[in-house]
Amino acid sequence: MKKLFTIIAITCSSVLVAQNIYKSSIDSGGTSASNGDIQIVSTIGEVNVQESSAGNIILSEGFVGKAFEVLIDTKIFLQGPFLNPAIPGLMNDNLRSLGYMPTNTPYNDGATVAASVFNTGGTSGSGLAQDDIVDWVWVELRAANDNTDLINEKSALLQRDGDIVALDGISDLVMTAAPTSYYVVVKHRNHLGAMTSASFGLTEASATAVDLKSNGVSTFGSNARVDMGLGNWALWTGDTNSVSQSRFSGASNSVNVIKDFVLSDPANILNLITFGSTGYLNIDVNMDGTGKFSGANNDSNVIKDNVVAHSGNVLNLITYTISETVPTKN
């Protein structure tokens, strides 16, 4: 059934009419409500000067303003593509160069990009190697007074030098939020996300730098990032089953996910344990374009090395779990 969508416009004229003001507020958000065939939509940023109601329908009049926006210049490395860099200081971009990068986001906001964004330079083939796109990432802003309160979230793109950019592959990221302070969260589909330990003031006038690949910006929780040496920090890799954990051995471990995927791959006709599955895969924790359980350059050993060397694993247990430190609501 089609819904009747009603838009009420209020204009100014030379005739002045007095009115009583029953209720006043400044709205910072918008919503919609339906009753039968009628849908009422409220807007962001209006000064509400009068309300009328009839049953479950409330109608507000006011002045409409555009949604708040802020700019952010966030940077991060991913451990997987930084393990054996072809160019020192830059992540590898195998997924892009092999043509495995999808133009639609792996996250839940439905973002898409033009295929040309995955050409050399993060534009249309004429940019610098440091601007090549490594993968999609997920960025969140959380309230300064409650780091579990999600204000805005969206898909973004990650360049080889760690810059997180908008969907054109080169611009600063724009978030829909009021100009104020926020905690910043960065997540990746097979790495463990991290959040800043302090809030950052964001504005629309210029992009605020939040450099999570540097130890100069601290993160929430213990060992949220892995030290890659030479002052470079990265998100831990190894979350093959999207549970915000990385585990080499024991119940529900990350490595068995790799093994099960490889053995069930239709291309692995001989059921070889050393087979390499190719494509845009969560089991490919070093992000070289091939997911391998066993054999040369396998992904299982990356997880094992992380677990054994983790500073929180004081007993060097092979069953130790590396957990994401981003807080969640109880």
Side-chain angles (χ1 to χ4, degrees):
M1 176 186 293
K2 292 185 179 179
K3 289 188 176 181
L4 174 64
F5 185 79
T6 304
I7 299 177
I8 299 177
I10 303 211
T11 60
C12 295
S13 70
S14 60
V15 179
L16 300 179
V17 180
Q19 65 176 358
N20 294 323
I21 298 177
Y22 297 103
K23 191 173 182 179
S24 179
S25 67
I26 297 177
D27 296 336
S28 60
T31 188
S32 63
S34 299
N35 186 5
D37 292 338
I38 300 176
Q39 183 179 45
I40 302 296
V41 179
S42 69
T43 56
I44 294 175
E46 67 179 3
V47 179
N48 172 13
V49 295
Q50 183 167 315
E51 291 182 352
S52 299
S53 61
N56 294 325
I57 301 175
I58 298 176
L59 179 64
S60 298
E61 67 178 54
F63 299 94
V64 178
K66 74 169 187 175
F68 287 121
E69 292 180 342
V70 292
L71 295 171
I72 187 168
D73 177 19
T74 310
K75 306 173 189 294
I76 191 63
F77 283 136
L78 301 178
Q79 183 192 23
F82 202 78
L83 285 171
N84 297 291
I87 301 176
L90 298 181
M91 290 178 285
N92 294 329
D93 62 333
N94 298 68
L95 298 182
R96 183 201 65 82
S97 63
L98 292 170
Y100 294 151
M101 286 279 292
T103 55
N104 56 300
T105 180
Y107 309 109
N108 61 12
D109 64 342
T112 61
V113 298
S116 60
V117 170
F118 299 141
N119 290 341
T120 302
T123 52
S124 58
S126 59
L128 301 173
Q130 66 192 40
D131 295 333
D132 292 345
I133 302 302
V134 174
D135 201 1
W136 292 85
V137 291
W138 185 250
V139 179
E140 299 176 357
L141 298 183
R142 299 194 178 192
N145 63 347
D146 180 358
N147 61 20
T148 66
D149 186 8
L150 181 63
I151 303 301
N152 189 229
E153 57 186 344
K154 65 169 51 178
S155 294
L157 297 172
L158 180 65
Q159 297 178 340
R160 293 182 69 183
D161 61 359
D163 290 341
I164 295 177
V165 295
L167 301 185
D168 64 356
I170 54 175
S171 301
D172 288 324
L173 189 62
V174 179
M175 303 293 288
T176 305
T180 187
S181 295
Y182 301 97
Y183 292 95
V184 180
V185 177
V186 179
K187 296 182 177 182
H188 182 262
R189 58 190 174 86
N190 64 5
H191 286 61
L192 303 179
M195 183 181 77
T196 59
S197 63
S199 59
F200 284 75
L202 306 183
T203 71
E204 186 177 12
S206 60
T208 300
V210 183
D211 190 357
L212 285 165
K213 65 184 179 64
S214 165
N215 203 31
V217 174
S218 58
T219 46
F220 181 86
S222 299
N223 303 304
R225 296 166 296 176
V226 55
D227 185 356
M228 304 301 294
L230 300 177
N232 298 310
W233 292 75
L235 299 183
W236 293 94
T237 193
D239 185 12
T240 59
N241 49 356
S242 302
V243 294
S244 301
Q245 292 182 337
S246 180
R247 193 175 191 184
F248 176 71
S249 182
S252 302
N253 69 72
S254 308
V255 172
N256 276 345
V257 176
I258 303 174
K259 181 186 69 175
D260 292 344
F261 188 98
V262 167
L263 291 178
S264 63
D265 190 333
N268 188 6
I269 56 177
L270 297 178
N271 294 111
L272 299 174
I273 202 70
T274 56
F275 182 81
S277 297
T278 59
Y280 188 74
L281 310 172
N282 276 8
I283 65 166
D284 176 20
V285 300
N286 63 4
M287 294 173 59
D288 64 356
T290 302
K292 295 187 70 175
F293 171 74
S294 181
N297 300 317
N298 70 74
D299 296 280
S300 302
N301 279 342
V302 174
I303 296 173
K304 181 187 71 175
D305 292 345
N306 277 349
V307 166
V308 172
H310 195 277
S311 58
N313 187 7
V314 293
L315 298 178
N316 295 113
L317 299 175
I318 204 70
T319 55
Y320 181 80
T321 299
I322 305 175
S323 297
E324 186 175 280
T325 60
V326 177
T328 57
K329 280 193 179 294
N330 295 326

